[in-house]
Amino acid sequence: MPRLHAGEKNIPMKKYIILLIIPFMTLFPVSAETAPQDKPVVAVVLAGGGALGYAHVGALQVLEEEGIRPDIVLGTSMGSIIGGLYCAGYSPWEMEEIVGSTDWKRVFWDSYDRRDMSFLQKQSSANNHFVLGISEEQRLIDAGVSHAQHVMEFLDELLITYNREMDFDDLPIPFRAIGADLLTGEKIVYGEGDLKSTIRGSMAVPGVFTPIEYKGRYVIDGGWVDNLPSTVARELGADIVISVSLYGLIDELENLQTMSAVNYQAGQIRTIERSTASREASDLIIAPELTGYTTADFEKGPELMAKGYEAADSIREEIAQLSEIINCPPIEDYNYVRIDREIPISAVRNMDGTHTNLTRAIEEDLEELYDGHPTGEELQDYLYAYYDGSDYSHFWYHLVDDQLGGYFLEIDGPERVLSDVYVGMSMELSTYMTQPEITDLSLQINAGTFLGEKQKYVLYGDLSLSQFPGVTLGLGQMSPRQHLIINEELHLKIDPKYYYEEDSIESIYALYQFGGIFSFKVPVFSVFSLTNGIYFDMNMPSHYLGTRTMEEDNWTKYGYNINLAFENLDRIVVPQSGFNGYYEFNNALSDEEMIGTSRSAGELFVPIMDKNVIGQLGYELSITHWGDPNTYETAWVGEKIGMIGFYEQELTDLNFLMLQLGFNIKIGMLPLGMGEEIYFQFGSSTAALASDALIEKSDEVDLYESAYAGLKMRTILGEFQFNGSYNSEERFSLFLGLKTTAALH
């Protein structure tokens, strides 16, 4: 049969040759038994290639427009995702909508649902943006950056009608997924089993996604053995093979200047020999022109689908001739029919058939909650919540027919391996780019270890670098099951204190603080924590610059405080929804005078317009109940949320209230590997200050206002901000900051 390649010189069809050999072709056995016997069996083969695989959608659209719907589809890696959805009943136009509306970065990378994590786990993830763990126990199923948990959930949701182990010939279009056995190097052609699991195995790119353990084998991306399985289609008995190839070497040196481009080129070189055999086994090849695109361009789905359509459209005449020759019957339109049936669960077991406390607990829950007959959606919501609790590396399931009208529910949920020793770090960097320029850098470092099986000790530190450095060291002891944390802390801080006159700094002091804290922290549910503690501080101010002097040279402060922290954010870097805050009461004795103060701060994030616009409301409140503390000990503006447009410590008084309203509007996405959303942000702040121990008269309140606008980005390093502001003191300033720590508590 003639070989037709998109983009190459057209070779005329020789209808009589194909017509002569069609009777012989139909004698070959084929698994796609649904194909009529008076026409050749047509196979469509979809190559792997990461984001480049979106081009398959456009190619399938042209094939259907010309009346060609295959009798069997084979796919590798991304080709298995597109092919699996197509064979399940999604039309190419429905898949175009899926590709265009899906946040693929979130699908491919692991992330726990913070709302289901314990409060201590939330706090740990907020305070450890970068973590290096060392553990003696190593597992093959953890050998990758991502377990692709959300890929499984994504596929399970889309393929809920086919959530049981099955024969892939029973799909609307028979399907085959290609994987590779990591231990033997053998090619695996999946024609039955759990559809979502075989697709997940087919796309397990080594080093990026962890291998999947399925049916006693460890499976990696099928592209390592056969990225364009046209020869497999022939072996299965296909008479006509139409391949969508993503193969192609970059032949321009200027297009090989990035690491992703070099990796792509290396991968193509690795598959040259096998690609040649695959092309020879194909009757028609659709080869999109993908120069300039890489396997990581997931945000360019519409462009890549268009490239696939253009490639197929360029040989539309040949496709039409092929459709006429093979006498394709009229295509009956059909859509994927979502069927969410009840699933009678006869037993719950692990993949190896064993029973544990977990499987017994799941079995009891399903019986109690759903009378042992959950729907597919109910089962998904229940089981995937185990993963969101962050105790498991991944949490998947299979439904196996028990031959008695019910199903065995097989659980694949390995517990996370906690590092014997870990080091975590977060940081905050901020600078006001105006006169005078103020820059602060704070690094928080945590190191932890397990002693025995029950006790966890955490050594933490906070290093502040600015005009004056400071360090805090602490030791925490966590009880079993994380019901109680005991903290012993020593700190030596050197905080700069500024006094302003109009727009400039008139004086600077270095306030040396040496002290310690002993506290108990008790988490309450997953949203709150209650901390009680006692502390002492020795304060020694040192005059550094200017003419203004402090009234006292040294003083000692000690007392107790109570802190109630709360947090329910969906994520810690540029949250989209949830709340975060704290309330603290402090009773201190300083210079034989009792001082009582309350401090509180909070943030609320509300998604608007499907999370493309985020409303942000913040407040900060500090009240002096009794006593007369020195002004340089009061709650400094900017300590928690900050009065945008004013320097930290610029506004001080005994009582302080700040309200802030802002909006974040999504305007774009960062490239893969650099981060996620880019927002345009704007808002305003208002602060009220008063000198009385308790505010009684409104005419004694000083008001300050500011407005700001700029950019906010969710980067891999944390939350990046750049904005300009104008305040009621008629001052314009620029702010640049990077934050990876939690804003509050």
Side-chain angles (χ1 to χ4, degrees), residues 466-674:
S466 58
Q467 283 87 341
F468 307 97
V471 63
T472 298
L473 294 175
L475 179 66
Q477 178 180 345
M478 187 178 296
S479 69
R481 300 184 182 179
Q482 302 182 348
H483 289 164
L484 174 68
I485 290 183
I486 303 173
N487 276 333
E488 303 94 10
E489 175 184 300
L490 289 175
H491 56 253
L492 173 61
K493 299 179 181 179
I494 312 175
D495 290 339
K497 302 298 183 182
Y498 305 97
Y499 290 97
Y500 292 84
E501 186 169 325
E502 295 182 351
D503 291 343
S504 62
I505 296 176
E506 197 278 334
S507 297
I508 301 178
Y509 276 81
L511 181 59
Y512 292 80
Q513 291 181 312
F514 175 75
I517 298 173
F518 180 80
S519 64
F520 297 87
K521 176 179 288 187
V522 180
V524 183
F525 304 113
S526 62
V527 180
F528 302 95
S529 75
L530 179 64
T531 303
N532 294 314
I534 58 176
Y535 66 92
F536 78 92
D537 271 316
M538 298 174 60
N539 298 270
M540 296 162 286
S542 176
H543 186 214
Y544 179 72
L545 179 68
T547 59
R548 184 171 175 175
T549 60
M550 289 187 175
E551 297 178 359
E552 298 186 39
D553 293 332
N554 303 292
W555 70 93
T556 301
K557 180 176 67 174
Y558 56 90
Y560 70 89
N561 60 42
I562 300 173
N563 183 293
L564 178 64
F566 49 91
E567 196 240 272
N568 194 34
L569 299 176
D570 63 337
R571 59 192 196 188
I572 203 64
V573 178
V574 192
Q576 293 183 314
S577 63
F579 54 83
N580 183 30
Y582 78 98
Y583 169 79
E584 179 182 69
F585 175 77
N586 184 53
N587 198 12
L589 181 63
S590 180
D591 294 336
E592 300 181 354
E593 181 179 4
M594 190 65 70
I595 304 167
T597 59
S598 292
R599 295 181 181 180
S600 180
E603 296 173 298
L604 175 66
F605 300 87
V606 180
I608 306 171
M609 298 175 60
D610 194 27
K611 296 188 177 182
N612 287 321
V613 180
I614 309 298
Q616 181 176 348
L617 177 65
Y619 80 91
E620 186 173 351
L621 175 66
S622 178
I623 297 177
T624 302
H625 297 286
W626 58 81
D628 187 17
N630 298 302
T631 56
Y632 42 79
E633 283 195 277
T634 57
W636 304 99
V637 177
E639 184 178 32
K640 296 299 180 182
I641 295 180
M643 179 73 174
I644 294 180
F646 289 87
Y647 300 136
E648 291 188 1
Q649 305 118 356
E650 183 175 2
L651 307 179
T652 61
D653 221 324
L654 299 186
N655 301 284
F656 170 75
L657 171 64
M658 185 273 292
L659 296 176
Q660 185 181 112
L661 176 64
F663 294 92
N664 302 317
I665 302 176
K666 181 179 175 181
I667 59 174
M669 297 290 291
L670 291 169
L672 185 70
M674 294 182 62

Side-chain angles (χ1 to χ4, degrees), residues 305-338:
M305 288 186 289
K307 288 292 184 181
Y309 189 94
E310 291 172 7
D313 187 58
S314 69
I315 57 169
R316 186 181 288 269
E317 182 179 349
E318 289 87 341
I319 294 174
Q321 290 175 352
L322 182 60
S323 177
E324 180 182 347
I325 291 172
I326 61 179
N327 191 27
C328 292
I331 292 179
E332 297 180 3
D333 291 334
Y334 67 87
N335 293 322
Y336 172 77
V337 180
R338 180 182 174 87

